[in-house]
């Protein structure tokens, strides 16, 4: 963090103790803050644009470096606002290049963010809540009791921090380049598939996505942002209208009776309602499909009859199918389907015209794969509690 003294005041990335986060404010909220600082009305738009660009195009962490803004205004900003990112507790790099950050928020709560590099792209998997109020029986996050919504700033902050660490700002380089692809942009895609049910934190997740998609900022197009939901049906059309990102549905079961057990929200909004909301999702076409996620659980949902029913169920929806090998976690009541069975299941799905449906597990060695998040820190805390003082 840089710190420099301007006009007798300390300017630093962190700002003063009671400074408010600037990251995560919408353009309108940022303008309102400038107004409250007494910036003249005719300058508001320009100042907001300047700040926006420093924050989201350059990734600047110090107000002092914003040289096209008058010094006294910079000092005001520094006194009132912070540009701080969530704090990194640990950074782990998997043998396959997947990177997982355990992050600590201002109130001490922790979340995880995962970066999954591929040859020609990099996907950042971000969290929307601390924990999750839902209790899907195969998901480790669902066993965590403590839950709160993340602020828009904490959601965007995960992208900012990942860009810092990956050297993904103009002219920047990564401190630790292991596994980072040699592409222009390191983060090309963002998925809301970390901890939490994003549609239960609708407004903050929407604001964060709109900030991420802003073409004069982070510029991650809506076509490259995917929100994954367990099926909060009434919010799906609203998400389409207000955010319009790509959509993924955690399906996992093709019969209500089974899905009730796996994804309990199904009792409230059963398959019929969920699929109707999917069919009505705005802008669906063969170029803009909904992804249906299906976790492969041995002897539970992996029969050939299930595969056929899955294909029938999605017949009239522009869809992609993503078969996810179950990622185990300590005490999980399921096993991953045998590889042979996954292949047979995938073949049925393939024959129905869905290309490469199996998602290869990434970062399992660092517990970064789908549904494994939070395990390390929970274990750590449990062992810390057990340790004699
Ligand atoms: N709460 C949202 C998004 C986060 S979960 C949702 O449920 O969609 C992201 C994906 O990982 C979901 O499809 C979820 O069902 C899946 N998942 C959860 N636990 C898993 C596990 N142990 N193995 C594989 N996938 C899992
Ligand atoms: Fe929550 Fe998604 Fe896990 Fe279900 S699968 S408990 S909705 S994070």
């Amino acid at each position: 963090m840089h710190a420099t003294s301007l006009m007798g005041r300390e300017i630093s990335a962190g700002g003063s103790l009671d400074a408010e986060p600037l990251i995560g404010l919408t353009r309108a909220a940022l303008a309102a803050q400038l107004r409250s600082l007494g910036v003249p009305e005719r300058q508001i738009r320009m100042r907001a644009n300047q700040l926006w660009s420093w924050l989201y195009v350059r990734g600047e962490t110090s107000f002092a470096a914003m040289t096209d803004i008058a010094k006294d205004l910079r000092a005001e900003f520094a006194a009132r606002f912070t540009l701080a990112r969530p704090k990194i507790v640990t950074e782990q790099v998997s043998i396959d290049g997947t990177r997982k950050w355990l992050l600590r928020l201002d109130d001490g709560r922790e979340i995880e963010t995962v970066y999954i590099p591929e040859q020609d792209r990099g996907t950042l998997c971000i969290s929307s809540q601390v924990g999750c109020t839902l209790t899907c029986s195969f998901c480790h996050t669902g066993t965590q009791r403590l839950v709160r919504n993340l602020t828009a700033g904490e959601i965007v902050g995960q992208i900012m921090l990942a860009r810092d660490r990956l050297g993904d700002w103009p002219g920047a380089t990564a401190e630790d380049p292991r596994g980072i692809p040699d592409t222009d942009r390191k983060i090309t895609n963002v998925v809301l598939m970390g901890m939490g049910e994003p549609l239960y934190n609708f407004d903050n997740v929407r604001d964060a996505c709109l900030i991420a998609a802003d073409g004069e900022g982070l510029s991650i197009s809506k076509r490259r942002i995917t929100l994954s939901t367990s099926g909060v049906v009434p919010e799906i059309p609203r998400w389409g209208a207000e955010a319009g990102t790509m959509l993924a549905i955690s399906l996992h079961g093709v019969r209500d009776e089974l899905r009730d057990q796996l994804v309990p929200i199904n009792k409230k909004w059963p398959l019929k309602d969920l699929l109707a909301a999917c069919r009505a999702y705005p802008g669906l076409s063969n170029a803009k499909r909904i992804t249906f996620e299906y976790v492969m659980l041995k002897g539970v949902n992996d029969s050939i009859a299930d595969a056929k029913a899955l294909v029938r169920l999605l017949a009239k929806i522009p869809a992609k199918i993503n078969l996810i090998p179950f990622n185990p976690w300590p005490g999980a009541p399921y096993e991953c389907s045998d590889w042979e069975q996954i292949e047979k299941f995938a073949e049925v799905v393939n024959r129905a015209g869905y290309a490469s449906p199996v998602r290869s597990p990434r970062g399992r060695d660092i517990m970064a794969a789908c549904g494994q998040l939070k395990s390390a820190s929970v274990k750590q805390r449990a062992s810390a509690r057990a340790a004699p003082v």
Side-chain angles (χ1 to χ4, degrees):
M1 250 185 251
H2 319 281
T4 174
S5 191
L6 267 177
M7 309 220 17
R9 275 194 185 141
E10 189 76 345
I11 296 187
S12 72
S16 64
L17 270 182
D18 51 357
E20 285 175 55
L22 207 55
I23 291 166
L25 296 185
T26 59
R27 278 182 180 273
L30 185 61
Q33 289 289 353
L34 294 179
R35 218 165 268 128
S36 78
L37 273 178
V39 174
E41 197 54 43
R42 61 192 151 72
Q43 286 186 17
I44 297 263
R45 215 185 138 90
M46 176 192 66
R47 293 284 176 232
N49 285 344
Q50 282 174 320
L51 266 175
W52 195 268
S53 168
W54 281 112
L55 261 63
Y56 298 121
V57 178
R58 319 270 284 264
E60 187 50 62
T61 55
S62 159
F63 287 108
M66 302 181 179
T67 43
D68 58 357
I69 300 176
K71 277 186 179 180
D72 51 350
L73 195 54
R74 276 187 262 163
E76 287 282 0
F77 288 159
R80 287 269 294 266
F81 302 113
T82 160
L83 299 171
R85 283 67 159 133
K87 309 262 173 320
I88 300 176
V89 181
T90 54
E91 178 182 74
Q92 288 171 277
V93 183
S94 156
I95 43 171
D96 68 18
T98 301
R99 207 173 270 236
K100 180 172 84 169
W101 295 280
L102 174 64
L103 304 177
R104 184 166 300 142
L105 308 170
D106 279 349
D107 63 356
R109 304 270 158 92
E110 289 170 354
I111 52 165
E112 287 176 335
T113 304
V114 178
Y115 176 66
I116 306 137
E118 283 166 271
Q119 220 162 41
D120 54 348
R121 63 184 193 162
T123 303
L124 190 71
C125 176
I126 60 176
S127 294
S128 57
Q129 298 183 307
V130 174
C132 184
T133 52
L134 299 172
T135 50
C136 303
S137 51
F138 53 88
C139 174
H140 198 204
T141 306
T143 64
Q144 205 191 314
R145 286 217 300 280
L146 205 73
V147 180
R148 82 157 165 86
N149 282 338
L150 298 187
T151 64
E154 289 164 342
I155 299 167
V156 179
Q158 296 171 64
I159 305 177
M160 309 290 279
L161 173 132
R163 281 214 162 160
D164 294 344
R165 296 298 303 160
L166 300 169
D168 198 18
W169 299 110
T173 47
E175 200 179 292
D176 172 2
R178 278 179 297 165
I180 302 174
D182 190 21
T183 44
D184 234 21
R185 294 270 294 264
K186 310 304 176 198
I187 300 173
T188 55
N189 295 62
V190 169
V191 293
L192 280 141
M193 294 185 185
M195 297 163 66
E197 169 47 60
L199 291 184
Y200 275 163
N201 184 14
F202 191 100
D203 291 0
N204 293 340
V205 174
R206 176 203 54 212
D207 287 353
C209 286
L210 295 180
I211 292 169
D214 189 298
E216 279 151 42
L218 291 168
S219 273
I220 301 165
S221 113
K222 288 183 183 183
R223 301 292 291 261
R224 290 176 174 272
I225 301 178
T226 303
L227 173 130
S228 174
T229 178
S230 56
V232 187
V233 168
E235 300 290 27
I236 292 176
R238 190 156 82 94
W239 183 260
E242 295 184 27
T245 68
M246 304 299 278
L247 187 66
I249 302 286
S250 292
L251 192 66
H252 309 314
V254 288
R255 285 167 285 120
D256 279 322
E257 162 228 342
L258 174 61
R259 195 167 186 269
D260 282 353
Q261 289 169 31
L262 299 176
V263 188
I265 202 177
N266 192 70
K267 291 182 204 151
K268 205 161 180 183
W269 293 298
L271 283 166
K272 186 168 138 297
D273 299 352
L274 178 60
L275 294 172
C278 288
R279 278 190 203 95
Y281 195 69
L284 274 197
S285 67
N286 280 341
K288 190 179 175 193
R289 298 167 191 243
I290 294 182
T291 301
F292 288 87
E293 300 163 281
Y294 195 94
V295 64
M296 300 298 298
L297 304 171
K298 186 175 182 167
V300 175
N301 66 354
D302 63 350
S303 71
I304 296 306
D306 282 318
K308 290 181 177 162
L310 172 63
V311 167
R312 269 199 309 273
L313 194 68
L314 304 181
K316 292 205 176 68
I317 305 175
K320 286 188 242 181
I321 296 178
N322 218 202
L323 303 178
I324 315 173
F326 170 67
N327 290 306
W329 39 273
Y334 300 105
E335 278 177 78
C336 182
S337 306
D338 295 331
W339 197 251
E340 218 172 81
Q341 189 61 21
I342 297 181
E343 281 183 341
K344 282 189 198 151
F345 195 104
E347 204 183 301
V348 174
V349 174
N350 252 317
R351 262 192 269 122
Y354 299 94
S356 39
V358 185
R359 184 190 293 176
S360 55
R362 298 288 305 264
R364 270 188 178 178
D365 54 326
I366 56 168
M367 292 292 280
C370 309
Q372 292 184 312
L373 296 189
K374 202 59 193 174
S375 13
S377 57
V378 167
K379 268 194 302 192
Q380 232 168 41
R381 267 202 294 275
S383 57
R385 268 200 305 273
V389 223

